[in-house]
Amino acid sequence: MSLLEVQNLVVEFPHRRGTLRALDDISFSIAPGEILGVVGESGAGKSLTGAAIIGLLEPPGRVAAGQILLEGQRIDHLGHEQMRHIRGRRIGAIFQDPLTSLNPLYTVGRQLTETILTHLPVSPAEARTRAIQLLKDTGIPAAEQRIDHYPHQFSGGMRQRVVIALALAAEPQLIVADEPTTALDVSIQAQIIQLLKNICKSRGAAVMLITHDMGVIAETCDRVAVLYAGRIAEIGPVHQVINHPAHPYTAGLMASIPDMEQDRERLNQIDGAMPRLNAIPPGCAFNPRCARAFERCLHERPELLDAGATRAACWLHAVPSEVRA
Ligand SMILES: Nc1ncnc2c1ncn2[C@@H]1O[C@H](COP(=O)(O)OP(=O)(O)O)[C@@H](O)[C@H]1O
Ligand code: SF4
Ligand SMILES: [Mg+2]
């Protein structure tokens, strides 16, 4: 069974003039222990997808349709308190800026032990031992001393390690990490991503890793979902999506990964920009930018279709009706 199941998720923002549909019919699942990458341009809907799952959509944003299931249990319509409990115990969250996850007034040890004591049946002494071990596991040197330090006494990279320790403290089955290294110095981003991957794999925690960096996806994830204008353009095993993209948008994204061997002149960007939510064209949302668009793309919206080893929302993969019959 899937650990997480997102089914036909729609997120809307009521607006003075009508409703903005920010996520439209998003469906995917994550298996236990699996790392799913979620990639897409800024504004594609990555963070909203993560926020809907962890129950932190900011009003007036709301789940307008669809459902979210954790181990088969619906979690999208739970109350604030129930969701808070799930968020600590069963789903851990890591955000871009480590300071949003840490309380500046408490030592990291206090924050770790409080989380452990809230969710796990252990004594305070045992919780402290566990907290020290978590800090060691996340690569904090001199953890026995550092545990009594405050967040501001850590560097940005070390703080994000503490946040990873905190997210894992109650042994959740799923970690939602939204651009966890974007705020960090470029030189330490890869280390933190490797840490996140290794520590989650070793504990069997599944990860939904949100990033705009296809290189990070390639090195870290088992599967990847490509978002475009609030919809999934393509989803599949990471090597298939990277090496044999089935959706023209994914193909464009792959071509735009800077290749160290080549000079930057050859960097192949996709012309045009992703549409605003209030100006998504009918048919395929990508059609104004797509070199392969044809008549059907202009007025009929493609669902996710089987496209070899991946699934792609693109009419190029439609089975001709005479074959289907
Ligand atoms: N509070 C809000 N009100 C209206 N639109 C919003 C709000 N929050 C996000 N959006 C819109 O939802 C879309 C997806 O946002 P987001 O999930 O943050 O994108 P990403 O994380 O992929 O960059 C964007 O077009 C954004 O403008
Ligand atoms: S459905 Fe048409 S416009 Fe959309 S990506 Fe496929 S070919 Fe391009
Ligand atoms: Mg975002």
Side-chain angles (χ1 to χ4, degrees), residues 26 28 39 57 59 65 68 86 94 137 142 213 249 273-274 284 311:
I26 298 268
F28 64 88
V39 72
L57 271 181
I68 301 169
I86 286 188
I94 301 171
D137 292 347
D213 186 337
Y249 176 63
M274 199 172 62
C284 173
R311 290 170 66 74

PDB file of all heavy atoms in Angstrom, residues 26 28 39 57 59 65 68 86 94 137 142 213 249 273-274 284 311:
ATOM      1  N   ILE A  26      -4.315  17.244  -8.969  1.00  0.00           N
ATOM      2  CA  ILE A  26      -2.996  16.653  -8.707  1.00  0.00           C
ATOM      3  C   ILE A  26      -3.171  15.274  -8.066  1.00  0.00           C
ATOM      4  O   ILE A  26      -3.826  15.153  -7.031  1.00  0.00           O
ATOM      5  CB  ILE A  26      -2.196  17.549  -7.724  1.00  0.00           C
ATOM      6  CG1 ILE A  26      -1.957  18.939  -8.320  1.00  0.00           C
ATOM      7  CG2 ILE A  26      -0.904  16.864  -7.292  1.00  0.00           C
ATOM      8  CD1 ILE A  26      -0.684  19.092  -9.084  1.00  0.00           C
ATOM      9  N   PHE A  28      -0.835  11.729  -7.027  1.00  0.00           N
ATOM     10  CA  PHE A  28       0.408  10.950  -7.001  1.00  0.00           C
ATOM     11  C   PHE A  28       0.439  10.178  -5.694  1.00  0.00           C
ATOM     12  O   PHE A  28      -0.379  10.417  -4.797  1.00  0.00           O
ATOM     13  CB  PHE A  28       1.641  11.858  -7.135  1.00  0.00           C
ATOM     14  CG  PHE A  28       1.835  12.824  -6.004  1.00  0.00           C
ATOM     15  CD1 PHE A  28       2.538  12.483  -4.858  1.00  0.00           C
ATOM     16  CD2 PHE A  28       1.302  14.117  -6.086  1.00  0.00           C
ATOM     17  CE1 PHE A  28       2.707  13.393  -3.819  1.00  0.00           C
ATOM     18  CE2 PHE A  28       1.467  15.027  -5.048  1.00  0.00           C
ATOM     19  CZ  PHE A  28       2.178  14.658  -3.921  1.00  0.00           C
ATOM     20  N   VAL A  39       9.327  18.863  -8.843  1.00  0.00           N
ATOM     21  CA  VAL A  39      10.138  19.888  -9.491  1.00  0.00           C
ATOM     22  C   VAL A  39       9.254  20.754 -10.375  1.00  0.00           C
ATOM     23  O   VAL A  39       8.174  20.329 -10.807  1.00  0.00           O
ATOM     24  CB  VAL A  39      11.285  19.222 -10.296  1.00  0.00           C
ATOM     25  CG1 VAL A  39      10.768  18.544 -11.541  1.00  0.00           C
ATOM     26  CG2 VAL A  39      12.388  20.215 -10.639  1.00  0.00           C
ATOM     27  N   LEU A  57      -1.906  24.896   4.716  1.00  0.00           N
ATOM     28  CA  LEU A  57      -2.344  25.853   3.701  1.00  0.00           C
ATOM     29  C   LEU A  57      -2.786  27.114   4.414  1.00  0.00           C
ATOM     30  O   LEU A  57      -3.537  27.049   5.392  1.00  0.00           O
ATOM     31  CB  LEU A  57      -3.548  25.306   2.925  1.00  0.00           C
ATOM     32  CG  LEU A  57      -3.307  24.466   1.690  1.00  0.00           C
ATOM     33  CD1 LEU A  57      -4.655  24.074   1.100  1.00  0.00           C
ATOM     34  CD2 LEU A  57      -2.459  25.187   0.677  1.00  0.00           C
ATOM     35  N   PRO A  59      -5.056  30.226   4.930  1.00  0.00           N
ATOM     36  CA  PRO A  59      -6.320  30.768   4.458  1.00  0.00           C
ATOM     37  C   PRO A  59      -6.066  32.086   3.728  1.00  0.00           C
ATOM     38  O   PRO A  59      -5.131  32.808   4.113  1.00  0.00           O
ATOM     39  CB  PRO A  59      -7.122  31.013   5.750  1.00  0.00           C
ATOM     40  CG  PRO A  59      -6.424  30.227   6.809  1.00  0.00           C
ATOM     41  CD  PRO A  59      -5.001  30.076   6.377  1.00  0.00           C
ATOM     42  N   ALA A  65     -11.260  20.263  -3.587  1.00  0.00           N
ATOM     43  CA  ALA A  65     -11.713  18.949  -4.039  1.00  0.00           C
ATOM     44  C   ALA A  65     -10.557  17.974  -3.915  1.00  0.00           C
ATOM     45  O   ALA A  65      -9.405  18.372  -3.756  1.00  0.00           O
ATOM     46  CB  ALA A  65     -12.197  19.012  -5.489  1.00  0.00           C
ATOM     47  N   ILE A  68      -6.473  13.528   0.490  1.00  0.00           N
ATOM     48  CA  ILE A  68      -5.102  13.164   0.829  1.00  0.00           C
ATOM     49  C   ILE A  68      -5.182  12.070   1.881  1.00  0.00           C
ATOM     50  O   ILE A  68      -5.856  12.238   2.901  1.00  0.00           O
ATOM     51  CB  ILE A  68      -4.331  14.380   1.385  1.00  0.00           C
ATOM     52  CG1 ILE A  68      -4.302  15.513   0.339  1.00  0.00           C
ATOM     53  CG2 ILE A  68      -2.909  13.985   1.782  1.00  0.00           C
ATOM     54  CD1 ILE A  68      -3.801  16.841   0.882  1.00  0.00           C
ATOM     55  N   ILE A  86      -0.434  14.727  13.866  1.00  0.00           N
ATOM     56  CA  ILE A  86       0.093  13.971  12.722  1.00  0.00           C
ATOM     57  C   ILE A  86       1.382  14.601  12.220  1.00  0.00           C
ATOM     58  O   ILE A  86       2.349  13.927  11.883  1.00  0.00           O
ATOM     59  CB  ILE A  86      -0.963  13.906  11.596  1.00  0.00           C
ATOM     60  CG1 ILE A  86      -2.047  12.924  12.014  1.00  0.00           C
ATOM     61  CG2 ILE A  86      -0.321  13.509  10.269  1.00  0.00           C
ATOM     62  CD1 ILE A  86      -3.054  12.601  10.964  1.00  0.00           C
ATOM     63  N   ILE A  94      10.401  20.121   6.701  1.00  0.00           N
ATOM     64  CA  ILE A  94      11.640  20.902   6.619  1.00  0.00           C
ATOM     65  C   ILE A  94      11.422  22.011   5.603  1.00  0.00           C
ATOM     66  O   ILE A  94      11.016  21.743   4.477  1.00  0.00           O
ATOM     67  CB  ILE A  94      12.827  20.016   6.167  1.00  0.00           C
ATOM     68  CG1 ILE A  94      13.033  18.853   7.148  1.00  0.00           C
ATOM     69  CG2 ILE A  94      14.104  20.851   6.035  1.00  0.00           C
ATOM     70  CD1 ILE A  94      14.027  17.816   6.664  1.00  0.00           C
ATOM     71  N   ASP A 137      23.855  11.905  14.483  1.00  0.00           N
ATOM     72  CA  ASP A 137      23.470  11.292  13.201  1.00  0.00           C
ATOM     73  C   ASP A 137      23.361  12.331  12.083  1.00  0.00           C
ATOM     74  O   ASP A 137      23.525  12.014  10.908  1.00  0.00           O
ATOM     75  CB  ASP A 137      22.125  10.565  13.326  1.00  0.00           C
ATOM     76  CG  ASP A 137      22.213   9.344  14.222  1.00  0.00           C
ATOM     77  OD1 ASP A 137      23.347   8.918  14.536  1.00  0.00           O
ATOM     78  OD2 ASP A 137      21.162   8.808  14.617  1.00  0.00           O
ATOM     79  N   ALA A 142      30.590  17.526  18.337  1.00  0.00           N
ATOM     80  CA  ALA A 142      30.474  17.791  19.781  1.00  0.00           C
ATOM     81  C   ALA A 142      29.016  17.912  20.204  1.00  0.00           C
ATOM     82  O   ALA A 142      28.618  18.848  20.898  1.00  0.00           O
ATOM     83  CB  ALA A 142      31.250  19.055  20.163  1.00  0.00           C
ATOM     84  N   ASP A 213      15.617  22.406  -8.601  1.00  0.00           N
ATOM     85  CA  ASP A 213      16.930  22.016  -9.100  1.00  0.00           C
ATOM     86  C   ASP A 213      16.913  20.576  -9.617  1.00  0.00           C
ATOM     87  O   ASP A 213      16.887  19.622  -8.846  1.00  0.00           O
ATOM     88  CB  ASP A 213      17.939  22.164  -7.952  1.00  0.00           C
ATOM     89  CG  ASP A 213      19.364  21.929  -8.401  1.00  0.00           C
ATOM     90  OD1 ASP A 213      19.581  21.255  -9.423  1.00  0.00           O
ATOM     91  OD2 ASP A 213      20.275  22.419  -7.698  1.00  0.00           O
ATOM     92  N   TYR A 249       7.550  19.703 -22.073  1.00  0.00           N
ATOM     93  CA  TYR A 249       8.029  20.610 -21.027  1.00  0.00           C
ATOM     94  C   TYR A 249       9.186  19.971 -20.258  1.00  0.00           C
ATOM     95  O   TYR A 249      10.197  20.621 -19.985  1.00  0.00           O
ATOM     96  CB  TYR A 249       6.901  20.976 -20.068  1.00  0.00           C
ATOM     97  CG  TYR A 249       7.378  21.839 -18.924  1.00  0.00           C
ATOM     98  CD1 TYR A 249       7.908  23.104 -19.152  1.00  0.00           C
ATOM     99  CD2 TYR A 249       7.317  21.380 -17.608  1.00  0.00           C
ATOM    100  CE1 TYR A 249       8.365  23.889 -18.116  1.00  0.00           C
ATOM    101  CE2 TYR A 249       7.776  22.161 -16.564  1.00  0.00           C
ATOM    102  CZ  TYR A 249       8.284  23.416 -16.814  1.00  0.00           C
ATOM    103  OH  TYR A 249       8.750  24.187 -15.785  1.00  0.00           O
ATOM    104  N   ALA A 273       6.975  32.146 -20.792  1.00  0.00           N
ATOM    105  CA  ALA A 273       6.898  31.988 -19.349  1.00  0.00           C
ATOM    106  C   ALA A 273       5.660  31.164 -18.993  1.00  0.00           C
ATOM    107  O   ALA A 273       4.709  31.085 -19.766  1.00  0.00           O
ATOM    108  CB  ALA A 273       6.813  33.364 -18.690  1.00  0.00           C
ATOM    109  N   MET A 274       5.728  30.576 -17.797  1.00  0.00           N
ATOM    110  CA  MET A 274       4.560  29.844 -17.313  1.00  0.00           C
ATOM    111  C   MET A 274       3.406  30.834 -17.127  1.00  0.00           C
ATOM    112  O   MET A 274       3.613  31.938 -16.641  1.00  0.00           O
ATOM    113  CB  MET A 274       4.916  29.189 -15.978  1.00  0.00           C
ATOM    114  CG  MET A 274       3.994  28.057 -15.588  1.00  0.00           C
ATOM    115  SD  MET A 274       4.610  27.203 -14.138  1.00  0.00           S
ATOM    116  CE  MET A 274       4.573  28.536 -12.961  1.00  0.00           C
ATOM    117  N   CYS A 284      -4.156  22.207 -23.371  1.00  0.00           N
ATOM    118  CA  CYS A 284      -2.923  21.944 -22.621  1.00  0.00           C
ATOM    119  C   CYS A 284      -2.338  23.270 -22.146  1.00  0.00           C
ATOM    120  O   CYS A 284      -2.110  24.176 -22.947  1.00  0.00           O
ATOM    121  CB  CYS A 284      -1.922  21.210 -23.503  1.00  0.00           C
ATOM    122  SG  CYS A 284      -0.302  21.037 -22.723  1.00  0.00           S
ATOM    123  N   ARG A 311       4.359   8.614 -16.958  1.00  0.00           N
ATOM    124  CA  ARG A 311       3.036   9.080 -17.357  1.00  0.00           C
ATOM    125  C   ARG A 311       3.133  10.568 -17.653  1.00  0.00           C
ATOM    126  O   ARG A 311       3.774  11.304 -16.899  1.00  0.00           O
ATOM    127  CB  ARG A 311       2.004   8.808 -16.258  1.00  0.00           C
ATOM    128  CG  ARG A 311       1.703   7.313 -16.117  1.00  0.00           C
ATOM    129  CD  ARG A 311       0.868   6.994 -14.897  1.00  0.00           C
ATOM    130  NE  ARG A 311      -0.495   7.537 -14.964  1.00  0.00           N
ATOM    131  CZ  ARG A 311      -1.471   7.047 -15.719  1.00  0.00           C
ATOM    132  NH1 ARG A 311      -1.252   6.011 -16.511  1.00  0.00           N
ATOM    133  NH2 ARG A 311      -2.665   7.590 -15.702  1.00  0.00           N
TER     134      ARG A 311
END
